[in-house]
Structures are given as structure tokens and as C-alpha cells.
């Protein structure tokens, strides 16, 4: 896949479909993609509240678990970035796998190859934290309070790895709205408890042109970023 387009030459801009576009990471992906010269299709169930306007942006209203919506959103796109997510819950979760299944099928029908999706550092059943204390805490969260969510992320990962597409799975740790300072990337595990959403958005967009992580799962983090537990509870759990 070629690098981000300049928008000034005779070639049309590469178009990205961003799923989860109206979430806090998705909005940054959309804005940064436009800044890099991409054309963007943003899928959201709440188009009326989408804050970005641009002549290379198309906002599609609809649910990513609806086949016709997905087909329509994918029309004219060259690659897909998914930041779809849902709140921590005890209840059954299906949005990751249901939207993943549909986007894989729609991409195959359309002959598209490049798919970049976000799951989480917490997705593996044998999740590892930094040191024994964090590992015990993360496994407790993984296998009790957030089990249904992480189990569905694993289902999504299975669908994507079996897709035959040019996929990259991205597993960040806890996200924050801090300014981006650059990201680290590693196979499977990474030493870092947090990631700025701005860095995650940049990493996802780098993948559109970078072939190094095709067919691989990337652990990512913002080096040196420490999450404030009170802020995490207030902004990432209670606000939802
Ligand atoms: N928060 C964390 O600390 C954390 C940690 C690790 C990984 N992650 C993952 O990182 C990604 C980004 O997280 P985030 O906290 O920035 O975003 P988020 O708050 O999880 O929002 C994701 C967006 O997904 C969209 N969405 C959900 N169900 C949908 C559906 N059926 N159809 C279409 N859109 C749907 C929602 O937008 P609309 O309502 O507008 O449609 C929502 O704004 C997610 O995959 C999340 O699971 C998060």
C-alpha cells in the first residue's frame, strides 16, 4: 500500500474507513488522517454529534453490526481502521466480533486487503502486567468484571487472524487523553501501563503504509506515561 497521499497531485487521496469514528480515539484517527492527506469515511451511530468537518470527510450514520451499513460505508475505501469499543460491563458483549465479522466479509466482497483493528493489552486470558501485583490485578479484571468484553475481543482477534486479509491487531494498555509524546511497539507484551489516544491514533495511521506489522499482533504504549487511577475510574469507567 502506498504512503499517505498529498492531496495535491493527480492521484486521488487514499480513503480510509474509520469504525468507532465518534469515540475519543476514533475522532483523533479521523482528524490525524485528514491532516495526513487521506480521505476518510467515518462510521458512527451518532452522526449529528460528529465534531469534524472537512471536504475529504464523509460521515456515514449507522450501526457497524448492520451488513448494509457496512457495505455502504466501505464503498470507495482502500483500507479500514477499527477503534470500535464499548463500556466495561458484566453483560454479554458482541460488538467487537459482530462488527469484525461483517467488515471482514465486506472487505472480501470489495476486494480490499488492509485491516487494522484495536483490541487491548487485557484481551489475552493469561494477561501479564508489570510485576506480580499488576498481573494479579489485570487477571482479576480480565476474568471477572471485564470478562465478557475481553472474551469478545478475543473472538474478534480470531476472526481477523483467520480472515486471510492483510491484518494488524493493536493491543494498547489503558488509554488517556494526555497529549501524544510518541509510541513504543513490540511483539505480544510491552512494558508500559498507559497510552495517549493521540499516540494510538498516530500508530494506527502509520500502519496503513507500513507493511512490517501485517499478519502480526502489536503491543503498544506511550513510554513513560503513568495513568492516574482516580482519573481512570472517573474518565474511563464512570463517565460511560
Ligand atoms: N479505554 C481504554 O482504556 C482502553 C484500553 C485498551 C483498549 N481500548 C480499546 O481502544 C479502542 C478505543 O477506545 P476509546 O476509549 O477511545 O473509544 P470508546 O469509548 O470505546 O468508543 C468507541 C466507539 O465505538 C463506537 N461503537 C460502539 N458500538 C458501535 C456499533 N454497534 N456501531 C458503530 N459504532 C459503534 C461508538 O461510537 P458511536 O456511539 O458514535 O457509534 C464509540 O464512540 C476500543 O476498541 C477500546 O475497546 C480501550
Amino acid at each position: 500500500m502506498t504512503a499517505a497521499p498529498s492531496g495535491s497531485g493527480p492521484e486521488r487521496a487514499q480513503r480510509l474507513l474509520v469504525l468507532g469514528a465518534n469515540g475519543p480515539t476514533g475522532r483523533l484517527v479521523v482528524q490525524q488522517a485528514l491532516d495526513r492527506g487521506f480521505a476518510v469515511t467515518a462510521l458512527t451511530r451518532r452522526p449529528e454529534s460528529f465534531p469534524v468537518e472537512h471536504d475529504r470527510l464523509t460521515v456515514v450514520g449507522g450501526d457497524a453490526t448492520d451488513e448494509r451499513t457496512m457495505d455502504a460505508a466501505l464503498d470507495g475505501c482502500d483500507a479500514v481502521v477499527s477503534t470500535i469499543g464499548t463500556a466495561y460491563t458484566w453483560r454479554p458483549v458482541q460488538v467487537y466480533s459482530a462488527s469484525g465479522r461483517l467488515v471482514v466479509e465486506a472487505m472480501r466482497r470489495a476486494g480490499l486487503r488492509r485491516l487494522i483493528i484495536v483490541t487491548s493489552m487485557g484481551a489475552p486470558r493469561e494477561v501479564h502486567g508489570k510485576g506480580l501485583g499488576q498481573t494479579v490485578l489485570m487477571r482479576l479484571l480480565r476474568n471477572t468484571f471485564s470478562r465478557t468484553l475481553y472474551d469478545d475481543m478475543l473472538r474478534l482477534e480470531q476472526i481477523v487472524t483467520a480472515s486471510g486479509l492483510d491484518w494488524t491487531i493493536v493491543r494498547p494498555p489503558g488509554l488517556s487523553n494526555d497529549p501524544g509524546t510518541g509510541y513504543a511497539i513490540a511483539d505480544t507484551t510491552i512494558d508500559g501501563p498507559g497510552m495517549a489516544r493521540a499516540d494510538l491514533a498516530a500508530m494506527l495511521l502509520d500502519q496503513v503504509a507500513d507493511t512490517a506489522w501485517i499478519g502480526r499482533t502489536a503491543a503498544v504504549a506511550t513510554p513513560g506515561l503513568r495513568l492516574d487511577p482516580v482519573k481512570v475510574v472517573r474518565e474511563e469507567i464512570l463517565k460511560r
Side-chain angles (χ1 to χ4, degrees):
M1 183 156 285
T2 53
S6 69
S8 56
E11 285 178 37
R12 77 170 179 91
Q14 253 189 320
R15 179 168 287 275
L16 304 183
L17 171 59
V18 181
L19 304 177
N22 212 359
T25 303
R27 289 178 178 186
L28 291 170
V29 172
V30 171
Q31 188 57 63
Q32 290 186 22
L34 292 167
D35 293 345
R36 291 183 187 206
F38 289 102
V40 177
T41 299
L43 179 64
T44 169
R45 293 169 300 179
R46 301 170 293 126
E48 68 290 346
S49 71
F50 197 69
V52 184
E53 284 184 28
H54 198 283
D55 56 7
R56 274 182 275 111
L57 173 66
T58 303
V59 180
V60 174
D63 195 303
T65 62
D66 176 74
E67 188 174 337
R68 280 170 44 178
T69 299
M70 187 66 85
D71 278 333
L74 205 59
D75 188 38
C77 293
D78 302 289
V80 179
V81 177
S82 178
T83 63
I84 275 193
T86 192
Y88 296 103
T89 176
W90 297 95
R91 285 176 298 195
V93 173
Q94 290 180 341
V95 70
Y96 296 95
S97 57
S99 61
R101 197 170 291 114
L102 283 191
V103 77
V104 163
E105 288 167 1
M107 287 180 72
R108 285 204 191 114
R109 278 195 295 277
L112 298 189
R113 302 241 11 114
R114 192 71 178 108
L115 173 62
I116 301 141
I117 62 147
V118 179
T119 60
S120 172
M121 177 189 185
R125 286 208 177 81
E126 297 299 303
V127 61
H128 284 279
K130 193 181 178 195
L132 184 63
Q134 199 189 36
T135 298
V136 169
L137 185 66
M138 287 183 67
R139 287 197 184 169
L140 195 68
L141 269 177
R142 165 65 184 86
N143 295 306
T144 56
F145 175 57
S146 308
R147 182 178 57 79
T148 56
L149 183 145
Y150 291 126
D151 281 352
D152 198 44
M153 283 184 176
L154 278 190
R155 284 191 288 274
L156 168 63
E157 291 192 351
Q158 283 158 6
I159 290 163
V160 167
T161 53
S163 68
L165 300 176
D166 293 339
W167 55 267
T168 300
I169 293 169
V170 180
R171 288 176 172 171
L175 300 179
S176 81
N177 298 320
D178 293 290
T181 54
Y183 63 84
I185 181 166
D187 274 309
T188 322
T189 55
I190 198 162
D191 182 8
M195 186 166 207
R197 286 184 168 92
D199 288 328
L200 177 58
M203 185 272 169
L204 295 170
L205 291 171
D206 288 346
Q207 299 315 303
V208 178
D210 188 350
T211 56
W213 288 88
I214 287 179
R216 295 169 69 189
T217 298
V220 290
T222 296
L225 182 68
R226 293 280 167 263
L227 297 183
D228 173 350
V230 177
K231 230 171 147 186
V232 169
V233 171
R234 200 176 56 225
E235 294 183 5
E236 305 297 335
I237 300 176
L238 295 182
K239 74 160 191 195
R240 292 161 185 261

